[in-house]
Amino acid sequence: MARSYGLLIQVITMGKPIVAIVGRANVGKSTLFNRMVRKQSAVIEDFPGITRDRIYGEAVWEDKHFLMVDTGGFLHEPDEEIYKEVKNQVLTAVDEADIVIMLMDASSGVMPLDSELIDNLRKYSKTIFYVVNKIDGPKKEQALYDFYSLGVDIHPLSALNGNGYEELMDTIIALLPDSLEEKSEYPKIAIVGRPNVGKSTLVNCLIRKERMIVSPVAGTTIDAVDSECKYYGKKYILVDTAGIRKKGKMSQTIEKYSFIRTLRNIEDCDIALIILDTYDGVVELDQKIAGVVHAARKPAIVLLNKWDLVDKNAVSTEEAAKLVHQKLWFMRHVPVMTIAAINKQRVTKLFPLVDKIIAESNKRISTHELNIFLREVIAKKEPPLHQHRRVKIYYITQVKTNPPGFTIFTNKKEGIKDQYIRFMEKQLRERFSFEGVPIDFYVRQRKKK
Ligand code: GDP
């Protein structure tokens, strides 16, 4: 079944493996996706591109972690151009994934579009699982025979009721090697942003030397993927600069924007630098990228690049930052820095800020301090009544760092609403800063002793 382990291992050294689901519309892709992505984030706000059309998430099976990507529906579009475009998008996702699940539908049998997609998939040296969905009764099992004509191994599944699901997951994780994810001793920085905001210009002025990564597969070396840079003798790793630099210093070719690559880099970093083009302001794709950083719970800095083009009399840094925060309202805690990568303006100021924010992410507040703080917060505003009864918060404690997480203990869990959590977060930031860092809250119910 597995055609190439080499590729798989190669990509895993860069972070979590990616599993993409492809298939026609309505075969059950999102049902399977939702089953696999159990860890629903506690984030309720409506992030652009995250809550509305959630296309990626983290899956865990027996301690193995990987990223799931739903590629959206593959349909015969009436318009040939659109059809080509959709097909290209699906195949780009395939190209970048480590494992592909090709999902089909038992109730419709093999459709011409299935065969076409399979023909295309065969051109990639990927591990592909051919899964026939909606097998939820003996009648449907009959339907399976039709699929054997495709000449590939078939996994029967009911994404809805879970038949065949455990077997599928067991087979998938058996193909994932033990995590080779190296914990770097140096801070890992991901530089993310849409095409033409100035990523490669910035990378080129930060980098000193390329780092070669030796593949665990004998006889092969892998292109340099990460690069080192130094600031006052301290090392930093820029994640996946190959993707940014490959177009070359001089070339003005338009970058083929890869959402999956961005996703992987974000997952892999200690801090994300989100680059914006001052001239364009915050556009939808910027919001989407920032939304992914936020959902991945990573510390971040927003860089407003091309600040050299701005008439400083017309707009101040503070005003510009305010506009950014309006558009990226879920990132009000993230600092906005103006730079001009093209002439290295303020670029070195980045490193002290990176250090500061990573330190914030690892900061611990003592339970004693937190509870003094808690009493003041409650004195300002108590949680509203829940079913006509008072909601009490007994105490708060920091349970983790990177990103920081706090557990609050209450007499009524349902009584602590999101609105109150947001109020607490705001107070917590006013007191303890946590600049640039997301904060997680957990609510636990306790009987009063
Ligand atoms: P990428 O696609 O995000 O890697 O963007 P590039 O680094 O290729 O930059 C896109 C264009 O913006 C190029 O023409 C750069 O010369 C230009 N550019 C990048 N940074 C700046 C800057 O700070 N100021 C100005 N004026 N132009 C810049």
Short mmCIF file of all heavy atoms in Angstrom, two decimals, residues 194-202 244 247 252 255 305-309 339-343, ligand 1:
data_model
loop_
_atom_site.label_atom_id
_atom_site.label_comp_id
_atom_site.label_asym_id
_atom_site.label_seq_id
_atom_site.Cartn_x
_atom_site.Cartn_y
_atom_site.Cartn_z
N ARG A 194 0.56 36.60 2.88
CA ARG A 194 0.16 36.28 1.50
C ARG A 194 1.26 36.72 0.53
O ARG A 194 2.21 37.41 0.94
CB ARG A 194 -1.20 36.91 1.20
CG ARG A 194 -1.20 38.37 1.23
CD ARG A 194 -2.58 38.98 1.25
NE ARG A 194 -2.45 40.35 1.68
CZ ARG A 194 -2.01 41.32 0.90
NH1 ARG A 194 -1.71 41.10 -0.36
NH2 ARG A 194 -1.87 42.55 1.38
N PRO A 195 1.15 36.35 -0.73
CA PRO A 195 2.20 36.71 -1.69
C PRO A 195 2.42 38.22 -1.77
O PRO A 195 1.48 39.00 -1.60
CB PRO A 195 1.66 36.19 -3.02
CG PRO A 195 0.72 35.11 -2.66
CD PRO A 195 0.12 35.49 -1.35
N ASN A 196 3.67 38.57 -1.98
CA ASN A 196 4.05 39.97 -2.25
C ASN A 196 4.02 40.94 -1.09
O ASN A 196 4.14 42.15 -1.29
CB ASN A 196 3.22 40.55 -3.40
CG ASN A 196 3.79 40.10 -4.71
OD1 ASN A 196 5.02 40.11 -4.89
ND2 ASN A 196 2.95 39.67 -5.62
N VAL A 197 3.85 40.44 0.10
CA VAL A 197 3.87 41.36 1.24
C VAL A 197 5.31 41.67 1.65
O VAL A 197 5.56 42.61 2.40
CB VAL A 197 3.09 40.81 2.45
CG1 VAL A 197 1.61 40.77 2.15
CG2 VAL A 197 3.60 39.44 2.87
N GLY A 198 6.26 40.86 1.15
CA GLY A 198 7.67 41.14 1.45
C GLY A 198 8.36 40.06 2.27
O GLY A 198 9.40 40.32 2.88
N LYS A 199 7.82 38.85 2.27
CA LYS A 199 8.41 37.78 3.08
C LYS A 199 9.85 37.48 2.66
O LYS A 199 10.75 37.43 3.49
CB LYS A 199 7.58 36.48 2.95
CG LYS A 199 6.21 36.56 3.56
CD LYS A 199 5.48 35.24 3.46
CE LYS A 199 5.24 34.76 2.04
NZ LYS A 199 4.43 35.67 1.21
N SER A 200 10.05 37.29 1.35
CA SER A 200 11.40 36.89 0.94
C SER A 200 12.38 38.04 1.10
O SER A 200 13.54 37.83 1.45
CB SER A 200 11.41 36.31 -0.47
OG SER A 200 10.87 37.21 -1.37
N THR A 201 11.92 39.25 0.92
CA THR A 201 12.79 40.40 1.16
C THR A 201 13.24 40.41 2.62
O THR A 201 14.42 40.60 2.92
CB THR A 201 12.05 41.72 0.84
OG1 THR A 201 11.47 41.60 -0.47
CG2 THR A 201 12.97 42.91 0.87
N LEU A 202 12.32 40.14 3.51
CA LEU A 202 12.66 40.11 4.94
C LEU A 202 13.60 38.95 5.25
O LEU A 202 14.62 39.14 5.91
CB LEU A 202 11.38 39.99 5.78
CG LEU A 202 11.61 39.89 7.29
CD1 LEU A 202 12.26 41.14 7.83
CD2 LEU A 202 10.30 39.63 8.03
N ILE A 244 9.83 30.12 0.84
CA ILE A 244 9.78 31.56 0.63
C ILE A 244 10.85 32.00 -0.38
O ILE A 244 10.62 32.84 -1.21
CB ILE A 244 9.98 32.30 1.96
CG1 ILE A 244 8.86 31.94 2.94
CG2 ILE A 244 10.02 33.80 1.73
CD1 ILE A 244 9.06 32.51 4.33
N LYS A 247 11.80 31.29 -5.07
CA LYS A 247 11.56 32.07 -6.28
C LYS A 247 12.77 32.93 -6.64
O LYS A 247 12.81 33.53 -7.71
CB LYS A 247 10.31 32.93 -6.14
CG LYS A 247 10.40 33.98 -5.09
CD LYS A 247 9.09 34.74 -5.05
CE LYS A 247 9.09 35.68 -3.87
NZ LYS A 247 7.86 36.42 -3.78
N GLN A 252 10.53 38.01 -10.03
CA GLN A 252 9.28 38.62 -9.61
C GLN A 252 8.09 37.70 -9.88
O GLN A 252 6.95 38.13 -9.89
CB GLN A 252 9.07 39.95 -10.35
CG GLN A 252 10.06 41.02 -9.94
CD GLN A 252 9.85 41.51 -8.52
OE1 GLN A 252 8.74 41.78 -8.11
NE2 GLN A 252 10.92 41.58 -7.75
N GLU A 255 4.18 34.13 -6.50
CA GLU A 255 4.25 32.95 -5.66
C GLU A 255 2.94 32.19 -5.73
O GLU A 255 1.87 32.78 -5.66
CB GLU A 255 4.51 33.44 -4.23
CG GLU A 255 4.42 32.38 -3.17
CD GLU A 255 4.48 32.99 -1.78
OE1 GLU A 255 4.96 34.13 -1.64
OE2 GLU A 255 4.04 32.31 -0.85
N ASN A 305 4.80 45.88 6.86
CA ASN A 305 5.95 46.10 6.00
C ASN A 305 5.67 47.20 4.96
O ASN A 305 4.54 47.60 4.77
CB ASN A 305 6.31 44.78 5.29
CG ASN A 305 7.63 44.87 4.55
OD1 ASN A 305 8.54 45.60 4.96
ND2 ASN A 305 7.75 44.16 3.44
N LYS A 306 6.71 47.65 4.32
CA LYS A 306 6.65 48.72 3.30
C LYS A 306 6.26 50.06 3.93
O LYS A 306 5.61 50.89 3.31
CB LYS A 306 5.71 48.34 2.14
CG LYS A 306 5.98 46.94 1.59
CD LYS A 306 5.32 46.67 0.27
CE LYS A 306 5.48 45.20 -0.12
NZ LYS A 306 4.82 44.83 -1.37
N TRP A 307 6.65 50.20 5.18
CA TRP A 307 6.35 51.43 5.90
C TRP A 307 7.06 52.62 5.26
O TRP A 307 6.67 53.78 5.46
CB TRP A 307 6.77 51.26 7.36
CG TRP A 307 6.31 52.34 8.28
CD1 TRP A 307 7.09 53.25 8.92
CD2 TRP A 307 4.96 52.62 8.66
NE1 TRP A 307 6.32 54.10 9.68
CE2 TRP A 307 4.99 53.75 9.53
CE3 TRP A 307 3.71 52.06 8.34
CZ2 TRP A 307 3.85 54.30 10.10
CZ3 TRP A 307 2.57 52.62 8.90
CH2 TRP A 307 2.64 53.73 9.77
N ASP A 308 8.09 52.36 4.45
CA ASP A 308 8.79 53.45 3.76
C ASP A 308 7.88 54.18 2.78
O ASP A 308 8.16 55.32 2.41
CB ASP A 308 10.02 52.88 3.01
CG ASP A 308 9.65 51.74 2.08
OD1 ASP A 308 9.00 50.78 2.55
OD2 ASP A 308 9.99 51.80 0.88
N LEU A 309 6.80 53.52 2.35
CA LEU A 309 5.91 54.14 1.36
C LEU A 309 4.88 55.07 2.00
O LEU A 309 4.11 55.73 1.31
CB LEU A 309 5.18 53.06 0.56
CG LEU A 309 6.06 52.08 -0.22
CD1 LEU A 309 5.19 51.02 -0.90
CD2 LEU A 309 6.89 52.83 -1.25
N ILE A 339 7.91 48.10 9.71
CA ILE A 339 9.26 47.89 9.17
C ILE A 339 9.30 48.23 7.68
O ILE A 339 8.25 48.37 7.04
CB ILE A 339 9.75 46.42 9.32
CG1 ILE A 339 8.82 45.45 8.58
CG2 ILE A 339 9.90 46.01 10.76
CD1 ILE A 339 9.40 44.05 8.40
N ALA A 340 10.50 48.35 7.17
CA ALA A 340 10.68 48.43 5.72
C ALA A 340 11.79 47.44 5.39
O ALA A 340 12.97 47.75 5.54
CB ALA A 340 11.03 49.84 5.28
N ALA A 341 11.37 46.25 5.00
CA ALA A 341 12.34 45.18 4.77
C ALA A 341 13.31 45.58 3.67
O ALA A 341 14.48 45.23 3.69
CB ALA A 341 11.61 43.88 4.40
N ILE A 342 12.81 46.33 2.72
CA ILE A 342 13.61 46.64 1.54
C ILE A 342 14.87 47.42 1.89
O ILE A 342 15.92 47.23 1.28
CB ILE A 342 12.75 47.37 0.49
CG1 ILE A 342 13.36 47.18 -0.88
CG2 ILE A 342 12.57 48.84 0.82
CD1 ILE A 342 12.36 47.20 -2.00
N ASN A 343 14.79 48.29 2.90
CA ASN A 343 16.02 48.97 3.30
C ASN A 343 16.40 48.68 4.75
O ASN A 343 17.04 49.48 5.40
CB ASN A 343 15.94 50.47 3.00
CG ASN A 343 14.65 51.07 3.48
OD1 ASN A 343 14.09 50.58 4.46
ND2 ASN A 343 14.16 52.09 2.83
P1 GDP B 1 6.79 37.79 -0.80
O1 GDP B 1 5.97 37.29 -1.93
O2 GDP B 1 5.95 37.99 0.43
O3 GDP B 1 8.02 37.02 -0.53
O4 GDP B 1 7.23 39.30 -1.21
P2 GDP B 1 8.63 39.84 -1.83
O5 GDP B 1 9.67 39.84 -0.76
O6 GDP B 1 8.92 39.14 -3.08
O7 GDP B 1 8.24 41.34 -2.11
C1 GDP B 1 7.24 41.71 -3.04
C2 GDP B 1 7.56 43.07 -3.61
O8 GDP B 1 7.51 44.06 -2.58
C3 GDP B 1 8.95 43.14 -4.21
O9 GDP B 1 8.88 43.94 -5.36
C4 GDP B 1 9.77 43.84 -3.12
O10 GDP B 1 10.86 44.55 -3.64
C5 GDP B 1 8.75 44.77 -2.51
N1 GDP B 1 9.03 45.06 -1.10
C6 GDP B 1 9.33 44.19 -0.11
N2 GDP B 1 9.55 44.85 1.05
C7 GDP B 1 9.37 46.16 0.81
C8 GDP B 1 9.46 47.36 1.63
O11 GDP B 1 9.76 47.35 2.82
N3 GDP B 1 9.19 48.54 1.00
C9 GDP B 1 8.90 48.60 -0.31
N4 GDP B 1 8.66 49.81 -0.82
N5 GDP B 1 8.80 47.52 -1.12
C10 GDP B 1 9.05 46.31 -0.57
#
